[in-house]
Amino acid sequence: MALENHYKDMMRCVKCSECKWIPLAMVKSQRFAQCCPSMGKYNFHTYSGGGKVNMGMSLYTKRAEFNDENLDILYRCTMCGACDVSCKCTKDMEVMEINQELRLLAVAEGQINLAHSPLLDSLRQEDNMMQKKKQDRGNWADGLTVKNITQEKAQVYFHAGCRYSFDQELWPEVRSALTLLQKAGVDVAIAGKDENCCAGRAYEIGYQSELNKYGENNLDLLKNAGIKTIVTPCAECYYAFKVLYPKLLKTAGLEVLHITEYLNRLIKEGALKPSKKVEMRVTYHDPCHLGRLGEPYIPWEGEEIIVNQGTYIYDPPKPWRKGTYGVYEPPRDLLQSIPGIELVEMERIKEYAWCCGAGAAVIDTYPELAEYGAEERLEEAGATGAEAIVTACPYCKTNFNQVIQANHHKLKVYDILELLEQSI
Amino acid sequence: MALAKELYRELQDIVGPEYLSEEKVVMDGYAWHGFGLLGPEPEDRFQTVPEAVVLPGSTEDVQAIVKWANRRGVQFKPQVTAFGAHANVGKPGQIILDLRRMNRILEFDEKNMYMVVEPYVSFITVMAEAQKRGLYVNGLGSGSHVSVLASITSMHGNNCLAITQGYSGRNLLGCEWVLPTGDIVRTGALGSGAGWFSGDGPGPSLRGVIRGAGGAMGGLGVFTKAAVHLHPWPGPAEIKVKGVSPYYNGEIPPLMEYHLLEFPDWTSYGAAQYKLAESGILFSIQKGGGPGTVGYSVTGNNNEYYEAWKKGELMPPVSSFAITLNAYSEKEHAYQVKTLNQILADTGGRISPVGEKTDWKERDFLHLIKNCFTLRGAYRPTGQFVVDSVIGNDTIGSTVLGVEKDVELRDIWMEKGFILNDGTHSGWQSVFEGGHMALHECGQDYDPFNKVTYQQMYQLLRDGNKIAVETPMSLGWSLSGAFGGITSLSRHFCDYAHWMQQVKIALDPREASDPSGYISAHDVIRK
């Protein structure tokens, strides 16, 4: 869907600024009422969700053209979708899709943000955006006995994702995830060095052809191996498999689960039993791609019609993505299944959680924004009295870790897998 | 056209390069406005483009910019959350002062029941913070995401909470005011160094000059700090909210009540409002949910509303309004309930079964406490509405008449086929402060993408103006400022525009502060 197809959405922006706050019903304080890291950092209206909608209209009507300055404004955004949830709490219109279309348009017009070039070069040459050698991709699993789907059939495919694969600090988590699945008797396989990037991040910065290429490649791999269930510990990969592939590549019939969903299922079924005490007061950070962005994609084709002399509805009814059905409870259930863990909630959670600041390649290209996002979240986490912030996304964890180390925070950060492994 | 390089550099020296922009898409974002009828065509949503947008971070920044503007002959417009066309610049050549960086709660005096805020502090955050301390604040009918300071200093404002929390201008307990010349005035007790506790002294009480009934809407300089009067909150420190967006339900605490009340006719409707207001039992009260209908407000999207509507659900009688009760003790709660029941018995009213359905009850309750779903009723139905000038700000009796008049007008225009017609007349009405005053506004939802309908809305406005003048209604906020035809309508309302013009000339001799939302020294007022 191109920008022109969102003409009515753009016209429907009433510039109410609800996109700058968490849903009003959920505001609990002055300090943690905002929802948008970009607005918090840069302040001009154009950085907000509504501002992007207005930008879309300005470009669509040829009042303005892309330039280096407004490309910076466009990309200083983590695509976290908080603005989208807040707007759509009270209105029927699209916000984030317009932001995405602007990025696709920029790339289509050859308006390249040079900061993205090293990431794209890495993807095209090494099949990952981590600027690492493809041949090293499978090293994280060295020493583990596990099937490889390029050689063997399996019921479940475990997709590690680029960051887990190449960031050695994260290897213990990804190895323990796989080990826990095996321990529970799951017939699981990996792709090792033949695993490819999901390309979700490339799509978020406007490169749809990369998503098409890598998506088709990944799906072929799964099809050839007869895989019906994909499990990934990476929230961004989860979003790509769960939402972007069905949306853009029309895939259907694959069960896509985040590792927290699968492990939680295994615990409930009794296949895994956390038994050792992990005495810790923790707070849980909802990764955007697993939470509000992670709600299932439901294909829809239809049209807008007018009823009652003015009300616009959709025929058939449009399955709105308003953040309602994201993955919120499984990670929490999993945490609370660990003896000794005390879970305390931050003010901004679930569909209106504050983004860590890393998404849409911001961690690589606008580090000052990534740092701001993480600082804000760490302060919110600290206000709960928790000893640690726990997350289920390698990008969130990396970003928090970097800021904790740089700014000497006392708070610890854990991947949820680390705590589970301690308990089993 | 952009500011001359020299002027831009001077502004940059005041605030720093990161807080100044003249980038085209940024300017277009500030030129965009979503309110109603802005030009001959529905597409006319980009209004006047500012030359630059500057983000001051302090009163000192604001003062320096205003003095610079006077020196350099550049007009400026301050804006905060900017929800409305009045927040835009009025003509080319002007700059916007976006006060977003000034976003702190500076002081909280629980004993004297006030909070001192900077411009970019919203009602919803003040509500949340005050509630924790047993206090509360008036909201604004347009939604609680908007600025407290802008509402109490510069704009007409009230909502369903006005019965206990007063309306906007009544809650101003002094402010720090950068005049259009750049001089700073501190009003109320603050002006004599006695703190913020009183808006009327010791020290200069300038509330009438600052804002009158409707506020100067950015036409009289910049308000940089203000103390807002808070009022008692008997309820818990936090209302528990269940569900995931957009399906938020508020848990009604044991000592609170929500009911939709329905009446057989307008006479009993008005009589009940008088009795309820006099009884002192109400915490909030309103008819309708903004210009749209409450049915939209309690559903997650338009399709859901439509499906329910087809089954005959979500349809309250036209002569109905919603109330909340909020007590400190079980005894007080019992008294409130008993009094409510007695008043219903006396006036022939009853608790409407429509409002007792769980989702309606828990969602409209939440809205009547937090003003959190206004946009659902106002904009979600059709995407756009116009306020038809049948607005009144007077007695309960007068406003009930206004609602009746609106129903007549609405019937005609529904019959013509140009406005939303789902059988729910949803003119909005609220009662203030014990019932000595009330307000009604009538928004008409229309399809903004239908060009014929769009053009017809201008005629609907003219019809509404005629009713407002002939009835007569008191001056509504939509008639204020250049947008509302102040110069032609002033004669019907005690020539108030002349007085405004004298204030403008005295305080802004160089007319540095954009007069478009207020009045210009050069405007010719019709006799």
Side-chain angles (χ1 to χ4, degrees), chain A residues 55-306:
Chain A
M55 179 193 269
M57 190 59 110
S58 181
L59 291 161
Y60 173 68
T61 55
K62 310 289 184 200
R63 291 168 61 91
E65 294 179 343
F66 283 118
N67 58 37
D68 288 347
E69 192 175 342
N70 60 41
L71 280 175
D72 260 343
I73 293 172
L74 180 61
Y75 286 112
R76 280 177 180 153
C77 161
T78 60
M79 294 289 281
C80 73
C83 57
D84 197 65
V85 166
S86 289
C87 174
K88 284 147 82 168
C89 179
T90 59
K91 293 169 288 296
D92 284 357
M93 59 178 278
E94 300 295 349
V95 179
M96 194 177 167
E97 284 192 10
I98 292 167
N99 197 350
Q100 180 68 58
E101 291 299 339
L102 282 167
R103 290 156 183 248
L104 296 171
L105 179 66
V107 171
E109 290 187 357
Q111 299 293 333
I112 306 299
N113 184 332
L114 292 177
H116 293 145
S117 295
L119 308 178
L120 268 298
D121 290 345
S122 171
L123 180 63
R124 288 161 185 157
Q125 289 161 24
E126 303 292 344
D127 297 333
N128 71 78
M129 291 179 79
M130 297 284 293
Q131 302 176 65
K132 303 284 187 184
K133 293 286 179 198
K134 180 177 174 63
Q135 67 202 45
D136 296 332
R137 187 170 190 118
N139 294 353
W140 66 270
D142 281 354
L144 296 177
T145 304
V146 58
K147 287 181 180 176
N148 189 305
I149 59 166
T150 59
Q151 295 147 17
E152 296 170 85
K153 298 274 182 196
Q155 289 182 340
V156 173
Y157 167 56
F158 182 84
H159 181 89
C162 296
R163 186 160 285 278
Y164 276 122
S165 297
F166 291 109
D167 186 340
Q168 289 196 40
E169 285 188 20
L170 301 176
W171 284 4
E173 285 102 287
V174 69
R175 286 169 67 91
S176 69
L178 184 61
T179 309
L180 286 170
L181 291 176
Q182 291 178 314
K183 191 173 181 176
V186 177
D187 178 23
V188 61
I190 63 170
K193 69 177 175 50
D194 294 314
E195 181 182 297
N196 282 325
C197 178
C198 67
R201 184 164 280 216
Y203 176 74
E204 286 182 327
I205 58 175
Y207 292 85
Q208 179 154 2
S209 59
E210 273 68 16
L211 181 115
N212 293 347
K213 177 186 159 189
Y214 284 94
E216 283 164 8
N217 200 325
N218 284 328
L219 293 167
D220 281 348
L221 185 73
L222 302 178
K223 190 177 170 186
N224 294 338
I227 294 291
K228 297 277 187 258
T229 300
I230 307 162
V231 179
T232 178
C234 174
E236 289 205 7
C237 296
Y238 174 81
Y239 174 61
F241 280 105
K242 184 86 174 183
V243 179
L244 296 180
Y245 290 3
K247 181 178 177 184
L248 302 164
L249 305 174
K250 315 289 183 202
T251 56
L254 278 171
E255 183 186 33
V256 181
L257 295 169
H258 187 260
I259 189 72
T260 55
E261 292 179 289
Y262 205 167
L263 292 175
N264 188 49
R265 182 193 288 179
L266 293 171
I267 290 168
K268 284 194 162 59
E269 289 170 356
L272 288 174
K273 187 166 172 53
S275 52
K276 293 179 196 158
K277 267 196 167 182
V278 182
E279 298 277 4
M280 201 182 299
R281 185 178 167 91
V282 304
T283 190
Y284 175 68
H285 167 77
D286 290 275
C288 307
H289 291 87
L290 180 62
R292 58 180 157 254
L293 298 178
E295 59 187 334
Y297 175 79
I298 300 169
W300 178 79
E301 277 186 38
E303 60 177 347
E304 181 181 305
I305 58 171
I306 300 295

Side-chain angles (χ1 to χ4, degrees), chain A residues 7 11 13 15-16 28 30 34 39 43 45 58 63 70 89 92 308-309 311-312 314 322 324 351, chain B residues 23 28-30 32 45 100 103 125 129 132 145 245 248 296 300 302-303 376 381 419-421:
Chain A
Y7 174 75
M11 282 289 285
C13 175
K15 207 173 155 187
C16 64
K28 297 179 183 69
Q30 164 72 9
Q34 292 193 68
M39 271 308 288
N43 293 296
H45 168 70
S58 181
R63 291 168 61 91
N70 60 41
C89 179
D92 284 357
N308 290 340
Q309 296 181 187
T311 295
Y312 63 98
Y314 295 88
K322 297 195 177 199
T324 315
E351 75 277 16
Chain B
E23 157 59 34
D28 269 358
Y30 284 87
W32 179 264
R45 305 289 286 280
R100 181 182 155 79
N103 59 2
T125 60
E129 297 292 354
K132 294 171 193 168
H145 52 293
S245 184
Y248 294 129
Y296 287 92
N302 282 351
N303 276 86
R376 289 185 182 178
I419 60 172
L420 175 66
N421 182 3

